[in-house]
Amino acid sequence: MRDQPFTTRWALYDFRNAQFYGERFDEPQWTASTRKVSVMMCVLSEVTAGRIDLDREVEYTSGMAEGVQSGTFRYMTPGFSFPLRDALAQMIVSSDNVCTRLVFESLGADEREQLRVINDFCQNSGLHQTIHRHVFPDTSRIPWFHTDAPMTTSTPIDQIRLLKAIVAGSQSASGSDLIAVSKDLCSYALELMTLGWDSFEFARFLPDDVVVAQKGGRGVRGRSEIGVIFDSDGRAACALAVYTDWVQTRLRDGRPGNDLAIDLISAFGRSAWELVVNNTEVPANILDYGRPVTS
């Protein structure tokens, strides 16, 4: 899977034997919506500390949908309230950016304060290369050749650290000390990540009964996904983070570049499952799993 015409950065952690694998895993890259896992865990850390109540009401008001490119709230009529818990769920499950804005608003009175809180959380959690620079960007205004300067950036290894902390917290009575989140809320986070339908790339080449807790990302020049793949006994088998960048709009064979990027991410999911869960070799034709079957 190395010989692709675009940049791929990835990292994998095997929970069975504590082995780590990866390539270009410490190189920062724009995160797209994979950033929302760290946002979620920051909020849950504040909930654990008693500073935020997930049952507090948030309000969807006029103007919040301006520039929003993902989720369903942009199609809904403003002027109603609902629990922060539901906004958090929609941020993860449908990657809704109206709800992402509402979740950020729970962290502080203005964007400056909100970004301070989330960046403090990341630095305190050992995610030293994860930098949140915006609450939500209008991706329709971002060119394909953008730099990372205005974007939230991270690395695959930082995302693996975060996923490991969530899994460890879900298994410990005291939760995770690293991210300061209780056991119940770490488990809740993983549960939300199993429900997301915005991007199920890791699971796309897997049998239907394989459980994956994931969050995908769609940028103007690539796709990404982070997540945890579970074995048949419900145990976390591996954590995986895959980022693609500089993906061509169209490949030489005529395919959209993102088609290959999505297939590649799905192939990583299948490969991790074969190697870690099944202890079997990766099929040589794994990228063809995404090709249409022709007679």
Side-chain angles (χ1 to χ4, degrees), residues 204-205 263 285 287-295:
R204 190 163 146 258
F205 291 175
D263 282 354
N285 65 334
L287 278 174
D288 292 335
Y289 282 30
R291 301 292 179 90
V293 175
T294 58
S295 57

Side-chain angles (χ1 to χ4, degrees), residues 74-94:
R74 55 186 161 150
Y75 304 120
M76 300 171 71
T77 304
F80 62 92
S81 299
F82 56 99
L84 174 61
R85 181 187 309 275
D86 293 349
L88 189 70
Q90 286 300 314
M91 180 182 75
I92 297 299
V93 175
S94 65

Side-chain angles (χ1 to χ4, degrees), residues 4-80:
Q4 307 307 325
F6 46 74
T7 300
T8 305
R9 302 176 174 96
W10 66 275
L12 182 147
Y13 180 79
D14 185 339
F15 285 103
R16 301 173 313 164
N17 54 26
Q19 292 296 306
F20 173 84
Y21 310 89
E23 293 180 320
R24 306 183 71 166
F25 50 82
D26 57 354
E27 296 180 0
Q29 179 179 324
W30 48 273
T31 62
S33 287
T34 61
R35 71 190 177 103
K36 294 172 183 175
V37 176
S38 57
V39 176
M40 170 174 63
M41 300 318 296
C42 175
V43 170
L44 296 180
S45 176
E46 294 292 298
V47 173
T48 299
R51 291 186 287 267
I52 289 179
D53 182 355
L54 287 178
D55 293 324
R56 64 175 280 191
E57 292 286 298
V58 296
E59 184 180 5
Y60 174 30
T61 59
S62 178
M64 281 188 170
E66 183 177 349
V68 169
Q69 303 294 315
S70 67
T72 58
F73 270 64
R74 55 186 161 150
Y75 304 120
M76 300 171 71
T77 304
F80 62 92

Side-chain angles (χ1 to χ4, degrees), residues 26-292:
D26 57 354
E27 296 180 0
Q29 179 179 324
W30 48 273
T31 62
S33 287
T34 61
R35 71 190 177 103
K36 294 172 183 175
V37 176
S38 57
V39 176
M40 170 174 63
M41 300 318 296
C42 175
V43 170
L44 296 180
S45 176
E46 294 292 298
V47 173
T48 299
R51 291 186 287 267
I52 289 179
D53 182 355
L54 287 178
D55 293 324
R56 64 175 280 191
E57 292 286 298
V58 296
E59 184 180 5
Y60 174 30
T61 59
S62 178
M64 281 188 170
E66 183 177 349
V68 169
Q69 303 294 315
S70 67
T72 58
F73 270 64
R74 55 186 161 150
Y75 304 120
M76 300 171 71
T77 304
F80 62 92
S81 299
F82 56 99
L84 174 61
R85 181 187 309 275
D86 293 349
L88 189 70
Q90 286 300 314
M91 180 182 75
I92 297 299
V93 175
S94 65
S95 210
D96 191 289
N97 273 335
V98 170
C99 289
T100 299
R101 180 173 286 175
L102 290 167
V103 168
F104 263 99
E105 287 183 354
S106 73
L107 295 175
D110 54 33
E111 186 168 320
R112 180 188 178 102
E113 176 67 8
Q114 294 156 17
L115 291 174
R116 183 195 65 76
V117 173
I118 179 63
N119 281 303
D120 277 358
F121 168 80
C122 290
Q123 294 307 305
N124 287 331
S125 301
L127 311 178
H128 298 306
Q129 296 191 80
T130 301
I131 303 173
H132 289 257
R133 296 185 175 91
H134 56 75
V135 169
F136 123 83
D138 181 352
T139 54
S140 68
R141 299 177 180 271
I142 299 175
W144 187 88
F145 52 84
H146 68 78
T147 67
D148 285 346
M151 314 291 285
T152 290
T153 53
S154 186
T155 60
I157 185 61
D158 263 14
Q159 297 305 306
I160 293 296
R161 289 190 185 105
L162 179 58
L163 294 169
K164 285 174 59 182
I166 299 170
V167 169
S170 73
Q171 297 170 342
S172 170
S174 60
S176 170
D177 291 335
L178 181 63
I179 56 177
V181 178
S182 70
K183 176 180 181 178
D184 287 347
L185 290 177
C186 284
S187 297
Y188 175 62
L190 290 172
E191 179 186 359
L192 288 183
M193 291 172 67
T194 65
L195 304 176
W197 53 260
D198 68 299
S199 178
F200 258 138
E201 265 53 277
F202 285 158
R204 190 163 146 258
F205 291 175
L206 293 175
D208 291 341
D209 59 350
V210 177
V211 175
V212 182
Q214 58 77 49
K215 184 73 190 80
R218 296 177 295 154
V220 295
R221 63 165 190 251
R223 295 291 187 267
S224 55
E225 188 152 328
I226 66 172
V228 177
I229 299 174
F230 294 83
D231 64 20
S232 59
D233 295 320
R235 296 171 300 196
C238 65
L240 181 62
V242 182
Y243 288 83
T244 63
D245 197 5
W246 300 109
V247 177
Q248 299 87 328
T249 305
R250 191 161 297 278
L251 302 171
R252 287 277 171 81
D253 64 5
R255 293 178 73 195
N258 276 326
D259 276 9
L260 179 56
I262 290 169
D263 282 354
L264 182 66
I265 292 171
S266 300
F268 268 102
R270 179 66 185 237
S271 299
W273 183 72
E274 294 285 5
L275 291 169
V276 176
V277 177
N278 289 344
N279 293 305
T280 55
E281 295 295 321
V282 177
N285 65 334
I286 192 165
L287 278 174
D288 292 335
Y289 282 30
R291 301 292 179 90

